[in-house]
Amino acid sequence: MAELIPALIAVTDSEGGVEFINKTGAEWLGYDRDQPGNLIEAIKAEDRGAFIEGEQRAPESEEGSLKAVVRARFANGGYRWLSLRKTPLVDARGEIASWVIVAFDVHETRTRQEGLEFSMHSTRVLNSSLDTEEILRVFWDYVPALGDWAALYLFEPDGSSLRRCCQSLETGEPGPWTVIESVEAYDGESAAGDVGMVSFTAAQRDEPWDACARIDADIKNLLTDTTFHALFNAPLMSFDQRVGSLVVVRKRPLYAEEETGKRIGLFAMRLAAALGNARLYAEARARSDEWERLSESKSEFLGLVSHELRNPLTVIYGGVESLVSKEDVSRKDQREVLLATQKETRRLRYMVEDLLALSRIETKGRSQLEPVLLQRQVKLILAEFGDRWRKNVFFFVDENLPPVWGEPTFVGQVLRNLLDNADKYSPKQLPIEVTIKRDEGRTVISVADHGPGVLDEELLQIFERFYQAAESRGRSGLGLGLTVCQRLVEAQGGTIWAESRPEGGLVVSFNLEDVELS
């Protein structure tokens, strides 16, 4: 009868030595029925203490027997859950002579239950935070339930770079994040053990483990000198986009490799979902912060524009009103009023041009380029606005300069803004210098003044929208001139920068690519 029941049936002595074991039990545990060994030694070490303690209390219990669920080592070296009942057989003196054990394999049921509990708990914990760093910290708490070693690979949101964090093979502690730029292909011998779900053997080392070559090569190089049984590589997918990979290694065989693989796969899905949600939240926060910043900039902009428009409009309106209301205005007074009106009208015109240029660049981006002769553009600007600026504007230019790739209107507007700034901040008796020279396939245009200059820590900030350096605060202007210059230069494929002059003043330079003349 014992041979027909699909369960382990055994009789042991008081020390656990097997006196009889049925065929099913022998096959499960890999025992020789003629020399079966000790049953207690087959129980996993973590479960053995509680099992022995329960065995000692069993005779005095109400049922007189021991009921337990333990993990037992099977023939393949892996462990499976067994639900067993151990009943003592007493002799004529009332002493325990032997034990009868009946054990059923409940591994699938127990594993599914554990998997469900693990899944529910991990889902709840991973989804409890929208902070990526907190999710990653929690992730490492779950690794022991998945395997003996793990590595986590994450792509940056734009897919440009890949970073990896893995446990130390010696201590098991997570190490620092490392950026994986490129990895040489693995070319070494493996110290791996038995074949598992994905095993690392010399015969298989050239087969692709992962679609990402960097991950594939990095895993193999990390585990070159490590003996292990099974490797599970689960891609992390979020909204149909791969965000990384979860790699789990088991050093010892398992009876239910497939069940472990499913658990790791489900955990990877939940981890990817949590990371995806955290990224979406971070992006939403960034957009919200950007909208808030833009809203503040808009309010600031409207205030600045209102203020800057008021001054020229007041001059224009007052001048026109005086000409209309008075009949005996002298020609001299008329000319002064008209010149003031002309100056403020021109100021309004350039203010509007700057705003329109900024809007056009931010909408369209890079402009259509054509060959432009910079020396001619500078002369045209100086001639066009000769009555506006001082006469002491010096122009230095290298000979035989080639044309550059640019947009004539943009180049003119950049030069006008730079000359405007130099004229505004430099004392009238001191000159402004405009220099054009070649520099490694590009032409550099510089406008230098003798004004108060800019602090070194402000040299980058002066190109920000509405920014005014400490030395220029209180002067008229929107703080858009250099921002417009930067956007216009970059739209032409150039670069703009500012430098302080040792003798005092500021030099603002920009470059454009030369046209290669055949």
Side-chain angles (χ1 to χ4, degrees), residues 219-506:
I219 296 170
K220 294 178 180 179
N221 281 303
L222 281 173
L223 301 174
T224 299
D225 300 320
T226 304
T227 300
F228 64 89
H229 169 68
L231 180 143
F232 303 87
N233 188 349
L236 301 179
M237 304 295 297
S238 177
F239 303 103
D240 297 325
Q241 181 181 6
R242 184 166 184 182
V243 298
S245 192
L246 169 60
V247 179
V248 178
V249 164
R250 293 206 66 97
K251 295 181 180 179
R252 295 174 298 278
L254 287 175
Y255 196 92
E257 302 281 12
E258 185 177 353
E259 199 68 37
T260 302
K262 289 179 181 178
R263 181 183 296 186
I264 293 171
L266 288 172
F267 180 79
M269 288 175 56
R270 285 160 177 77
L271 177 61
L275 291 172
N277 291 337
R279 283 186 176 181
L280 287 177
Y281 177 72
E283 291 171 4
R285 282 291 301 271
R287 283 195 294 270
S288 176
D289 293 344
E290 178 66 12
W291 279 112
E292 185 176 346
R293 187 189 66 80
L294 290 174
S295 178
E296 292 176 356
S297 296
K298 180 180 178 182
S299 300
E300 182 183 5
F301 169 72
L302 291 174
L304 285 168
V305 170
S306 300
H307 174 74
E308 291 299 323
L309 288 177
R310 186 180 297 115
N311 291 337
L313 287 175
T314 299
V315 174
I316 293 170
Y317 179 78
V320 172
E321 193 68 19
S322 67
L323 292 177
V324 172
S325 62
K326 297 178 182 179
E327 295 182 358
D328 56 344
V329 180
S330 66
R331 293 184 64 83
K332 179 182 178 182
D333 290 343
Q334 287 181 10
R335 180 169 178 78
E336 287 180 358
V337 170
L338 290 175
L339 286 175
T341 302
Q342 181 190 45
K343 178 181 178 182
E344 296 304 322
T345 303
R346 183 182 289 160
R347 180 180 166 192
L348 281 176
R349 172 192 166 192
Y350 294 140
M351 190 186 304
V352 171
E353 282 183 358
D354 279 349
L355 293 172
L356 290 175
L358 198 58
S359 175
R360 187 164 62 249
I361 289 301
E362 290 182 346
T363 303
K364 294 183 178 180
R366 188 94 177 233
S367 57
Q368 191 69 30
L369 305 182
E370 60 182 80
V372 176
L373 285 172
L374 287 175
Q375 55 269 47
R376 180 183 299 173
Q377 282 289 110
V378 173
K379 290 177 181 179
L380 287 173
I381 294 295
L382 292 175
E384 182 180 353
F385 301 104
D387 61 333
R388 183 180 181 192
W389 294 313
R390 68 192 72 199
K391 301 303 180 184
N392 54 347
V393 177
F394 298 149
F395 184 30
F396 306 97
V397 58
D398 287 353
E399 295 183 357
N400 302 319
L401 283 175
V404 297
W405 290 109
E407 208 283 339
T409 305
F410 287 179
V411 173
Q413 197 162 350
V414 172
L415 287 169
R416 174 175 58 75
N417 281 356
L418 294 182
L419 285 166
D420 246 354
N421 269 2
D423 184 64
K424 184 188 299 184
Y425 298 113
S426 190
K428 295 298 181 184
Q429 70 274 16
L430 297 176
I432 295 172
E433 296 101 24
V434 180
T435 306
I436 305 179
K437 60 182 180 180
R438 295 193 70 184
D439 183 24
E440 298 181 355
R442 303 182 80 84
T443 296
V444 180
I445 309 93
S446 300
V447 177
D449 64 44
H450 292 272
V454 174
L455 299 174
D456 288 343
E457 57 267 26
E458 292 185 300
L459 288 175
L460 293 178
Q461 293 174 287
I462 61 175
F463 293 101
E464 295 177 4
R465 191 190 305 226
F466 308 135
Y467 186 83
Q468 291 187 327
E471 297 294 339
S472 63
R473 288 168 194 155
R475 297 175 184 261
S476 63
L478 287 175
L480 279 177
L482 289 177
T483 302
V484 171
C485 289
Q486 183 184 50
R487 302 294 172 82
L488 293 178
V489 169
E490 290 176 351
Q492 299 172 89
T495 305
I496 188 169
W497 64 95
E499 300 170 290
S500 294
R501 304 181 75 176
E503 65 273 22
L506 184 70

Side-chain angles (χ1 to χ4, degrees), residues 73-86:
R73 185 179 62 250
F74 270 49
N76 73 334
Y79 287 89
R80 289 181 69 84
W81 287 101
L82 296 180
S83 175
L84 61 82
R85 183 167 187 148
K86 190 173 184 181

